């Protein structure tokens, strides 16, 4: 509250020190050093930072003092619009940890406003955002709708993430495809869609993935038609992310992704993890390697580790710009 007795110089002083205080909170090498306004949402505007992981791009909002996102799914979808908004494949919220075992919580809305359980490229961007905000740590334990996820900051600026164990039981992915493989899972199971017969493997990394191996990514699929048809096929009650995959070498896979709730994106981290698991189970590549997955936006390295059955994903995350947007 401002008292009338406060002189103008005192008022200016107050403003300056509050802005210096919030700026000082950021990491010394933070890209936000010039920013004085905190990354929060006010009545009709939101302060945000934009990050990308292999061209999979996200709007990051700092809600570390909140338990739930400060924006609605509708507001988030509008912000993701590349003409009427900021543009992005999703909005990610840094939230208060639900309990002491976690450092923070993450929630994400896809560009259509739907809420997925997890995101691979997004959590690397999230970890970079925390570091840039001054939450200086070599790793973070993040609570997500898919459970605890642990990004580790590497010396070279990339991030390696413990993505947890893959879910292989078909009904848990979820899919109504008949299990045809050990562990009640669906591996290259037949599916009719769009007048074509597909061989589909179903894997969940917290979010659902349908993986389809093809001989030639350019010739064997009509991406813009087959992608959305498979995404919304009745065999996938929660809809599904669709990865079309070509095996390039025993440790190298190439993919195109049609994302649930986002359409064609340049990269999908959970998808890269899911397709690596599917490739090993379908006998396309040997188990145990640190596999290169080439996405339209670049390469990720994925390891399904036999010792703990967990999937580890390594890749970049880059700050692009920051700003304030109307909501
Ligand atoms: O599961 C889904 O609805 C995905 N569209 C979520 C986003 C996934 C993401 N692209 C990733 O990298 O895993 C962020």
């Amino acid at each position: 509250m401002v008292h009338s007795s406060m002189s103008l110089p005192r008022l200016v002083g107050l403003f300056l020190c509050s802005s210096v205080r919030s700026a000082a909170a950021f990491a010394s090498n933070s890209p936000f050093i010039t920013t004085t306004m905190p990354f929060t949402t006010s009545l009709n505007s939101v302060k945000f930072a934009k990050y990308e992981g292999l061209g999979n791009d996200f709007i990051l909002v700092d809600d570390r003092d909140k338990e739930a996102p400060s924006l609605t799914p509708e507001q988030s979808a509008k912000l993701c619009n590349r003409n009427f908004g900021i543009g992005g494949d999703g909005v990610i919220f840094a939230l208060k940890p639900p309990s002491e075992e976690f450092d923070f919580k993450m929630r994400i809305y896809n560009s259509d406003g739907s809420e997925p359980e997890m995101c691979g490229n997004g959590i690397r961007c999230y970890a970079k955002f925390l570091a840039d905000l001054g939450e200086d740590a070599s790793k973070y334990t993040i609570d997500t709708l898919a459970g605890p996820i642990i990004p580790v900051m590497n010396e070279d600026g990339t991030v390696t993430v413990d993505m947890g164990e893959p879910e292989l039981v078909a009904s848990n992915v979820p899919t109504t495809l008949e299990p045809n493989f050990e562990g009640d899972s669906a591996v290259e199971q037949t599916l009719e869609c769009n007048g074509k017969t597909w061989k589909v493997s179903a894997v969940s990394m917290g979010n659902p993935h349908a993986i389809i191996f093809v001989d030639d990514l350019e010739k064997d699929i009509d991406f813009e038609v087959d992608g959305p048809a498979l995404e919304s096929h009745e065999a996938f009650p929660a809809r599904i992310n669709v990865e079309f995959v070509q095996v390039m070498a025993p440790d190298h896979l190439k993919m195109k992704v049609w994302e649930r709730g986002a359409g064609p994106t340049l990269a999908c981290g959970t998808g890269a993890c899911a397709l690596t698991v599917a490739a090993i189970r379908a006998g396309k590549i040997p188990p145990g390697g640190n596999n290169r997955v080439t996405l339209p936006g670049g390469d990720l390295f994925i390891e399904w580790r036999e010792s703990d059955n967990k999937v580890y994903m390594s890749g970049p995350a880059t700050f692009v710009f920051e700003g304030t947007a109307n909501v």
Side-chain angles (χ1 to χ4, degrees), residues 190-198 200 212 225-236:
T190 304
L191 176 72
E192 300 301 325
C193 180
N194 224 17
K196 298 175 187 174
T197 302
W198 303 93
V200 177
I212 295 168
V225 176
D226 298 329
L230 287 157
E231 174 198 0
S232 310
H233 191 281
E234 62 189 7
F236 311 118

Short mmCIF file of all heavy atoms in Angstrom, two decimals, residues 190-198 200 212 225-236:
data_model
loop_
_atom_site.label_atom_id
_atom_site.label_comp_id
_atom_site.label_asym_id
_atom_site.label_seq_id
_atom_site.Cartn_x
_atom_site.Cartn_y
_atom_site.Cartn_z
N THR A 190 -2.59 -56.42 -36.12
CA THR A 190 -3.27 -55.93 -37.32
C THR A 190 -4.39 -54.95 -36.98
O THR A 190 -5.15 -55.19 -36.04
CB THR A 190 -3.84 -57.12 -38.10
OG1 THR A 190 -2.76 -58.02 -38.37
CG2 THR A 190 -4.47 -56.68 -39.41
N LEU A 191 -4.46 -53.84 -37.75
CA LEU A 191 -5.52 -52.84 -37.55
C LEU A 191 -5.94 -52.30 -38.91
O LEU A 191 -5.09 -51.92 -39.72
CB LEU A 191 -5.02 -51.68 -36.69
CG LEU A 191 -5.99 -50.52 -36.48
CD1 LEU A 191 -7.13 -50.93 -35.55
CD2 LEU A 191 -5.28 -49.29 -35.91
N GLU A 192 -7.24 -52.29 -39.16
CA GLU A 192 -7.77 -51.71 -40.40
C GLU A 192 -8.09 -50.24 -40.13
O GLU A 192 -8.79 -49.92 -39.16
CB GLU A 192 -9.06 -52.44 -40.82
CG GLU A 192 -8.90 -53.93 -41.09
CD GLU A 192 -7.89 -54.21 -42.20
OE1 GLU A 192 -7.83 -53.40 -43.15
OE2 GLU A 192 -7.14 -55.20 -42.07
N CYS A 193 -7.55 -49.37 -40.94
CA CYS A 193 -7.84 -47.95 -40.76
C CYS A 193 -7.68 -47.21 -42.08
O CYS A 193 -6.68 -47.40 -42.78
CB CYS A 193 -6.90 -47.33 -39.73
SG CYS A 193 -7.20 -45.55 -39.46
N ASN A 194 -8.65 -46.44 -42.41
CA ASN A 194 -8.55 -45.64 -43.63
C ASN A 194 -8.41 -46.50 -44.88
O ASN A 194 -7.72 -46.14 -45.83
CB ASN A 194 -7.30 -44.75 -43.49
CG ASN A 194 -7.59 -43.34 -43.93
OD1 ASN A 194 -8.74 -42.95 -44.04
ND2 ASN A 194 -6.52 -42.63 -44.24
N GLY A 195 -9.04 -47.71 -44.82
CA GLY A 195 -8.98 -48.59 -46.00
C GLY A 195 -7.65 -49.27 -46.16
O GLY A 195 -7.37 -49.89 -47.20
N LYS A 196 -6.80 -49.14 -45.15
CA LYS A 196 -5.49 -49.81 -45.23
C LYS A 196 -5.33 -50.76 -44.04
O LYS A 196 -5.96 -50.57 -43.00
CB LYS A 196 -4.35 -48.77 -45.19
CG LYS A 196 -4.37 -47.77 -46.34
CD LYS A 196 -3.29 -46.72 -46.13
CE LYS A 196 -3.37 -45.61 -47.17
NZ LYS A 196 -2.43 -44.50 -46.90
N THR A 197 -4.45 -51.75 -44.19
CA THR A 197 -4.14 -52.69 -43.09
C THR A 197 -2.79 -52.30 -42.50
O THR A 197 -1.80 -52.20 -43.24
CB THR A 197 -4.10 -54.13 -43.62
OG1 THR A 197 -5.37 -54.43 -44.20
CG2 THR A 197 -3.81 -55.11 -42.48
N TRP A 198 -2.77 -52.02 -41.21
CA TRP A 198 -1.55 -51.57 -40.53
C TRP A 198 -1.12 -52.63 -39.52
O TRP A 198 -1.94 -53.40 -39.02
CB TRP A 198 -1.82 -50.26 -39.78
CG TRP A 198 -2.32 -49.15 -40.64
CD1 TRP A 198 -3.63 -48.81 -40.87
CD2 TRP A 198 -1.53 -48.20 -41.38
NE1 TRP A 198 -3.71 -47.72 -41.70
CE2 TRP A 198 -2.44 -47.32 -42.03
CE3 TRP A 198 -0.17 -48.02 -41.57
CZ2 TRP A 198 -2.00 -46.27 -42.85
CZ3 TRP A 198 0.26 -46.97 -42.37
CH2 TRP A 198 -0.65 -46.12 -43.00
N VAL A 200 0.38 -52.55 -35.91
CA VAL A 200 0.54 -51.54 -34.87
C VAL A 200 1.09 -52.13 -33.57
O VAL A 200 0.59 -53.17 -33.10
CB VAL A 200 -0.81 -50.86 -34.57
CG1 VAL A 200 -0.67 -49.85 -33.44
CG2 VAL A 200 -1.37 -50.20 -35.83
N ILE A 212 4.24 -47.71 -35.88
CA ILE A 212 4.07 -48.45 -37.15
C ILE A 212 5.38 -48.43 -37.91
O ILE A 212 5.90 -47.36 -38.25
CB ILE A 212 2.94 -47.80 -37.97
CG1 ILE A 212 1.60 -47.95 -37.24
CG2 ILE A 212 2.88 -48.40 -39.38
CD1 ILE A 212 0.47 -47.13 -37.80
N VAL A 225 -3.13 -37.73 -43.94
CA VAL A 225 -4.44 -38.41 -43.93
C VAL A 225 -4.42 -39.58 -42.93
O VAL A 225 -5.28 -39.69 -42.07
CB VAL A 225 -4.79 -38.93 -45.35
CG1 VAL A 225 -6.10 -39.73 -45.31
CG2 VAL A 225 -4.89 -37.77 -46.32
N ASP A 226 -3.35 -40.38 -43.01
CA ASP A 226 -3.28 -41.55 -42.12
C ASP A 226 -3.06 -41.14 -40.67
O ASP A 226 -3.59 -41.76 -39.74
CB ASP A 226 -2.14 -42.48 -42.58
CG ASP A 226 -2.37 -43.01 -43.99
OD1 ASP A 226 -3.54 -43.19 -44.37
OD2 ASP A 226 -1.37 -43.20 -44.74
N GLY A 227 -2.27 -40.08 -40.44
CA GLY A 227 -1.97 -39.63 -39.07
C GLY A 227 -3.24 -39.35 -38.26
O GLY A 227 -3.50 -40.02 -37.24
N PRO A 228 -4.06 -38.38 -38.70
CA PRO A 228 -5.27 -38.06 -37.92
C PRO A 228 -6.27 -39.22 -37.85
O PRO A 228 -6.94 -39.39 -36.82
CB PRO A 228 -5.85 -36.86 -38.66
CG PRO A 228 -5.19 -36.84 -40.00
CD PRO A 228 -3.83 -37.44 -39.80
N ALA A 229 -6.33 -40.03 -38.94
CA ALA A 229 -7.27 -41.17 -38.92
C ALA A 229 -6.88 -42.17 -37.83
O ALA A 229 -7.73 -42.66 -37.07
CB ALA A 229 -7.28 -41.84 -40.29
N LEU A 230 -5.59 -42.43 -37.70
CA LEU A 230 -5.12 -43.37 -36.66
C LEU A 230 -5.22 -42.74 -35.27
O LEU A 230 -5.62 -43.40 -34.30
CB LEU A 230 -3.67 -43.79 -36.97
CG LEU A 230 -3.50 -44.74 -38.15
CD1 LEU A 230 -2.09 -44.65 -38.74
CD2 LEU A 230 -3.82 -46.17 -37.73
N GLU A 231 -4.93 -41.43 -35.16
CA GLU A 231 -4.98 -40.73 -33.86
C GLU A 231 -6.34 -40.91 -33.19
O GLU A 231 -6.43 -41.13 -31.97
CB GLU A 231 -4.71 -39.23 -34.03
CG GLU A 231 -4.88 -38.40 -32.76
CD GLU A 231 -5.04 -36.91 -33.00
OE1 GLU A 231 -5.01 -36.46 -34.18
OE2 GLU A 231 -5.22 -36.17 -32.00
N SER A 232 -7.38 -40.86 -34.02
CA SER A 232 -8.75 -40.89 -33.46
C SER A 232 -9.47 -42.21 -33.71
O SER A 232 -10.70 -42.28 -33.56
CB SER A 232 -9.55 -39.75 -34.08
OG SER A 232 -8.82 -38.56 -33.96
N HIS A 233 -8.72 -43.27 -34.07
CA HIS A 233 -9.36 -44.56 -34.35
C HIS A 233 -9.98 -45.12 -33.06
O HIS A 233 -9.42 -44.95 -31.97
CB HIS A 233 -8.32 -45.55 -34.89
CG HIS A 233 -8.92 -46.81 -35.43
ND1 HIS A 233 -9.33 -47.84 -34.61
CD2 HIS A 233 -9.20 -47.19 -36.70
CE1 HIS A 233 -9.84 -48.81 -35.36
NE2 HIS A 233 -9.78 -48.44 -36.63
N GLU A 234 -11.10 -45.84 -33.20
CA GLU A 234 -11.82 -46.33 -32.00
C GLU A 234 -11.00 -47.33 -31.19
O GLU A 234 -11.28 -47.57 -30.01
CB GLU A 234 -13.14 -46.97 -32.42
CG GLU A 234 -12.93 -48.18 -33.33
CD GLU A 234 -14.25 -48.68 -33.93
OE1 GLU A 234 -15.28 -47.99 -33.73
OE2 GLU A 234 -14.23 -49.74 -34.60
N ALA A 235 -9.96 -47.89 -31.78
CA ALA A 235 -9.11 -48.84 -31.04
C ALA A 235 -8.31 -48.13 -29.95
O ALA A 235 -7.64 -48.78 -29.12
CB ALA A 235 -8.15 -49.55 -32.00
N PHE A 236 -8.35 -46.77 -29.98
CA PHE A 236 -7.58 -45.97 -29.01
C PHE A 236 -8.51 -45.03 -28.24
O PHE A 236 -8.71 -43.87 -28.64
CB PHE A 236 -6.48 -45.19 -29.73
CG PHE A 236 -5.67 -46.06 -30.65
CD1 PHE A 236 -5.64 -45.82 -32.02
CD2 PHE A 236 -4.94 -47.13 -30.16
CE1 PHE A 236 -4.91 -46.63 -32.88
CE2 PHE A 236 -4.19 -47.95 -31.00
CZ PHE A 236 -4.18 -47.71 -32.36
#
